[in-house]
Amino acid sequence: MKAIKKPIEVLAKRYTKDSDLDSLLNLLRTNKSEPVRFEESTGDLFIQKDRGEIRLTLGNWIIFEENTDRCFWFIDHEIFLETYSFLAEEGEFSRFVKAVYEIDFVDFTNLETDSIKEVLNFIEDSGFNLDADKKQTPSTVKEQGFIIIETLEGDEKLFPGEVLVKGIRGELYPVKKENFDLVYKVI
């Protein structure tokens, strides 16, 4: 299925070697439900989400979606440049607006075999191999209750009732249904 991204505003900041790490960590830790850690050896930041741990590497962007889930997310630098436009400076972050663009998506409606197969086919049709060691078969998905999605920021879980989106560069990412409805318009 296809949808278009709505022009929703976000706060964003690029993570660089010049970033004030203490200030950034303090800001990210304001969301008490998602623990943050810093890996000193690589300089990477990690946020523990309910669907898995996501990684921010130097040069990529942190966004705060104040109009959806009020959480911090990480975005690849090139994808950010293609999909966001600058609006204004706002303290430590700047305000950007998401560009309107078309995406492909699939609903993961339930743990029935047909729904699981539809998502697994969408993943394969998107050019991703189903990693054998992640045991992505209908029977194992039913058993574990989710599908593991290989995102640019790390492996995340897609749960029934959520949506799997294929972004502008073919990247995959799971979205909670309520956030999908706020950010996308089905066409």
Side-chain angles (χ1 to χ4, degrees):
M1 294 191 286
K2 296 202 177 285
I4 57 170
K5 195 103 162 188
K6 296 176 185 175
I8 293 177
E9 292 183 16
V10 300
L11 296 174
K13 178 178 183 63
R14 189 165 184 209
Y15 177 47
T16 69
K17 62 181 177 72
D18 298 325
S19 295
D20 179 345
L21 185 60
D22 289 333
S23 174
L24 191 54
L25 285 169
N26 287 336
L27 180 68
L28 293 173
R29 288 179 176 141
T30 59
N31 183 346
K32 303 283 187 221
S33 66
E34 296 183 341
V36 176
R37 70 180 178 88
F38 173 67
E39 181 64 45
E40 196 168 334
S41 64
T42 62
D44 294 346
L45 292 169
F46 296 85
I47 294 179
Q48 183 63 51
K49 302 278 186 178
D50 59 354
R51 64 177 74 248
E53 188 175 61
I54 62 172
R55 179 184 66 242
L56 173 68
T57 56
L58 284 169
N60 289 333
W61 289 79
I62 302 163
I63 66 165
F64 179 68
E65 292 194 342
E66 59 190 342
N67 296 315
T68 60
D69 59 10
R70 303 196 54 77
C71 291
F72 295 100
W73 294 94
F74 303 147
I75 298 180
D76 173 84
H77 176 66
E78 296 300 322
I79 291 172
F80 183 85
L81 293 179
E82 286 183 46
T83 58
Y84 288 83
S85 298
F86 176 79
L87 292 176
E89 294 289 334
E90 275 194 32
E92 191 170 340
F93 277 63
S94 297
R95 187 166 294 280
F96 289 80
V97 65
K98 291 181 181 186
V100 175
Y101 58 90
E102 191 174 292
I103 56 93
D104 292 318
F105 73 95
V106 63
D107 281 311
F108 183 26
T109 54
N110 55 50
L111 287 172
E112 297 299 318
T113 301
D114 288 346
S115 179
I116 295 168
K117 283 182 178 179
E118 184 178 11
V119 175
L120 295 178
N121 288 338
F122 181 83
I123 293 168
E124 286 185 324
D125 291 347
S126 297
F128 290 82
N129 292 322
L130 292 174
D131 196 345
D133 63 322
K134 291 187 179 109
K135 297 177 179 55
Q136 303 274 76
T137 65
S139 61
T140 57
V141 169
K142 285 180 185 184
E143 195 174 292
Q144 64 192 16
F146 56 84
I147 297 173
I148 298 170
I149 306 301
E150 201 176 304
T151 74
L152 294 176
E153 296 77 29
D155 287 349
E156 295 185 47
K157 297 171 186 164
L158 175 72
F159 294 99
E162 297 183 338
V163 178
L164 182 59
V165 172
K166 181 167 84 173
I168 61 163
R169 294 240 172 130
E171 74 280 6
L172 298 176
Y173 53 94
V175 179
K176 291 183 178 179
K177 182 66 171 157
E178 57 271 16
N179 289 339
F180 182 85
D181 292 340
L182 291 171
V183 177
Y184 297 93
K185 178 182 176 188
V186 176
I187 53 175

